[in-house]
Amino acid sequence: MGQYKNIVILTGAGISAESGVATFRDNDGLWEKHRIEDVATPEAFARDPDLVQRFYSLRRRQLNEVEPNAAHKALAKLQRELDGKVTIITQNVDDLHERGGGTNIIHMHGELRKVRCKACSSVHDWREDCAQETECPSCGRAPSLRPHIVWFGEMPFFMDRIAEYLAECDLFISIGTSGNVYPAAGFVAEVRAKGNAHTIEVNLEPSEGASMFAEHRHGKAGELLPALVEELLN
Ligand code: APR
């Protein structure tokens, strides 16, 4: 498998599941006891900003209690060994790829450990709770800060760069994503439409888009990824 020159890896909540981060669609459609539309839409933030700020502050705090797992570390190893050839596009807002040693990580749905000012557009690294009364460190206004998260109905980040990576890749691997949420769910079709890239799905179970992939590995990412990475390196 050593022939690949541009590898793109799409990750979703499933890669962080073994670290203890809750996935979105595995518990009766509820995310940490909330309906997604009550906490992860611009309308929810307009309706009840305190609830949404509290929700994301709790998610941010939970990051202090979790560690990267064998899957994050295996991908970091792949990136180290194939210097510059491996791009990770993640739908996850946690920082477990980075803490597992990963580099060149594109957070298309934003990052929990960042907040953004709606007034002056500045983006800030953020480890603490954030509330409506918290002032923007740049412009001093409040309420003005919001989670630096792409909510349903908002445009994912870095789509131009992502389109370039997808067009150029010769291996596309999707890991731990249910294939329910676009545009990420459509990446495999985009890759296939543009070239001859090999495509692999790694997921606990077949995803919505499983039939689009040439190769499937079903099981836990933390168990499957170390072996897959060794195959790619040998
Ligand atoms: N290893 C591999 N896959 C796993 C594991 C595991 N240990 N545990 C769960 N999975 C799989 C599940 O079977 C499921 O198919 O990971 C997938 C997780 O799917 P979702 O919870 O839907 O997460 P994701 O696809 O990342 O969601 C996409 O939706 O809510 C929004 O913006 C949010 O980024 C998120 C997007």
Side-chain angles (χ1 to χ4, degrees), residues 23 25 38 51 184 194 199:
T23 58
R25 293 180 183 78
D38 289 340
L51 169 75
K194 282 184 182 146
T199 52

Side-chain angles (χ1 to χ4, degrees), residues 6 16 18 25 29 36 40 57 60 86 103 129-130 138-139 148-149 157 169 175 192-193 202 223 230:
N6 287 302
S16 295
E18 288 158 75
R25 293 180 183 78
I36 285 180
S57 290
R60 198 174 297 119
V86 185
T103 48
D129 290 356
C130 182
S138 294
C139 71
H148 191 49
I149 298 284
F157 298 143
C169 77
I175 305 166
R192 291 187 66 144
V202 180
E223 290 167 11
E230 289 313 313

